Amino acid sequence: MIEVSFPGKLFLMGEYAVMETGIKSVVSSVDARLFVNVSGSDDYSVQSRFGSVKGSDVFSMDSMKEVSAAINVTKEFIQRDLKQFNLVIQSELDDGETKYGFGSSGVVIVGVLSALLKHEGIELTQLELFKLSVMVQYRLNSFSSGGDLAAAIYDDVLIYARYDLNWLKGSKFKLNEIIKVDWPYLQIESLTLPYSICIGWTGTSNKTENYTDAVNRAKDNDPMTYRAFLVNAARFVDQFIEAQDEDEFSHAVRGYRRLMVELGSWAKINIETDDLRNLIDSAESLNISAKISGSGGGDCGIAFISDANRNKLDALNSLWENYSIKMIQK
């Protein structure tokens, strides 16, 4: 039996702007992981909390479309029928019912691809696995920024900039070729961060696509304001990456928080909900920098814990509990 595991992700900086070509963000893996086991079998089968599927149906599962797409891309990549398998998927990326916002769809793609390729005796580099994972999203016509895929595969804090999506859509490479060529503007680089990430979960989830669609509509109606947002986003991300002390770091985090509130008002979406505002303000009351993570509208917020303020974690947890916010990583 082969077992692989990959972590979920949270964006630390660069939300929304990361959807644009070459705009830097900072994304981090989290402690919660997805586990995929694969073993030989006399038929094809997939088991997960969404159910069990056997036979040829594993190639066309509506309830597990990311799994089916990853299976089909693996078959296309190796250019032959897959060995029969039993695939078992287990996840820590939700509480059993509600997702935390850790990019579980992307992690599923990465995990299934990796497990099946190992089952076929094929080892890809991290970058090749990233590119093949993007191609699964291509088959689904459901592109993320790619930061979720990168964080899962590299299991690290990363500076991440998206590839040129238009170049990818216009390319004519086969799968075994596309993973070998350079992708314009793609950047995946490890970042040493002198802070640990404390994650607070609001107990509600948000569908990222609805919010990114709203931002895209606002961008079409008011491209000048959107360009100004991208300039400011890039400035705060650079400050975050290059910060030499806690004041500079906090300035970048607070600046991006304000930027998200302004973006939400402009696009008519509630990025910083009351729950997220309470989460952030509680941390700020203890002089701990905090912000939303991801699209906002629910899911998680993050607080940046330095060695100097680690003794404040219990106090922060108490404040969060007052607002029914669950600390799920510290």
Side-chain angles (χ1 to χ4, degrees), residues 145-162:
S145 67
D148 53 342
L149 306 176
I153 293 166
Y154 287 81
D155 197 356
D156 201 355
V157 179
L158 301 172
I159 300 171
Y160 175 80
R162 193 184 197 183

Side-chain angles (χ1 to χ4, degrees), residues 24 32 44 55 61 73 77 94 96 102 108 124 135 139 172 190 269 303-304 307 313:
K24 283 188 291 188
Y44 299 111
M61 297 178 289
V73 165
F77 179 74
D94 54 49
F102 288 164
V108 166
L124 298 184
M135 297 311 295
R139 296 294 189 269
K172 304 298 181 183
S190 292
I269 49 178
F304 296 93
D307 290 341
L313 275 173

Side-chain angles (χ1 to χ4, degrees), residues 47-267:
Q47 299 174 52
S48 80
R49 69 180 182 85
F50 293 102
S52 299
V53 179
K54 289 188 175 182
S56 61
D57 288 344
V58 304
F59 296 92
S60 58
M61 297 178 289
D62 289 337
S63 61
M64 293 183 274
K65 62 182 181 179
E66 289 86 4
V67 178
S68 283
I71 292 170
N72 286 311
V73 165
T74 304
K75 180 180 178 181
E76 182 182 345
F77 179 74
I78 66 174
Q79 299 178 0
R80 55 178 167 79
D81 287 339
L82 296 171
K83 298 175 185 177
Q84 291 174 321
F85 57 78
N86 178 45
L87 194 72
V88 180
I89 302 170
Q90 297 176 302
S91 177
E92 301 172 340
L93 304 179
D94 54 49
D95 72 341
E97 296 181 358
T98 307
K99 294 180 179 181
Y100 292 139
F102 288 164
S104 55
S105 297
V107 188
V108 166
I109 289 170
V110 170
V112 172
L113 278 178
S114 176
L116 290 180
L117 288 169
K118 289 178 185 293
H119 185 58
E120 297 289 339
I122 297 170
E123 290 278 354
L124 298 184
T125 67
Q126 290 174 313
L127 184 57
E128 288 169 345
L129 180 59
F130 169 82
K131 292 174 179 177
L132 196 61
S133 299
V134 172
M135 297 311 295
V136 176
Q137 292 184 333
Y138 196 168
R139 296 294 189 269
L140 291 167
N141 193 30
S142 180
F143 290 100
S144 68
S145 67
D148 53 342
L149 306 176
I153 293 166
Y154 287 81
D155 197 356
D156 201 355
V157 179
L158 301 172
I159 300 171
Y160 175 80
R162 193 184 197 183
Y163 52 89
D164 186 338
L165 181 58
N166 290 329
W167 170 85
L168 182 65
K169 289 180 174 180
S171 67
K172 304 298 181 183
F173 295 104
K174 296 179 180 178
L175 288 179
N176 63 337
E177 298 169 334
I178 195 71
I179 68 169
K180 299 292 185 182
V181 300
D182 289 336
W183 287 21
Y185 298 101
L186 175 64
Q187 180 181 0
I188 304 174
E189 179 184 341
S190 292
L191 175 66
T192 300
L193 196 66
Y195 298 84
S196 60
I197 310 303
C198 181
I199 302 170
W201 182 48
T202 63
T204 58
S205 62
N206 184 40
K207 193 169 180 61
T208 299
E209 291 82 357
N210 293 340
Y211 273 32
T212 54
D213 287 348
V215 170
N216 285 332
R217 288 192 295 271
K219 174 178 68 173
D220 291 340
N221 292 328
D222 185 2
M224 290 185 64
T225 297
Y226 185 72
R227 283 196 294 271
F229 158 70
L230 293 180
V231 170
N232 287 321
R235 176 166 58 89
F236 288 125
V237 171
D238 283 341
Q239 287 179 2
F240 181 93
I241 293 169
E242 298 167 5
Q244 297 297 308
D245 56 42
E246 192 152 354
D247 286 342
E248 292 180 1
F249 184 88
S250 297
H251 182 268
V253 173
R254 289 169 181 153
Y256 213 92
R257 178 195 182 181
R258 292 194 302 272
L259 196 61
M260 288 295 91
V261 172
E262 293 168 0
L263 183 74
S265 177
W266 172 71

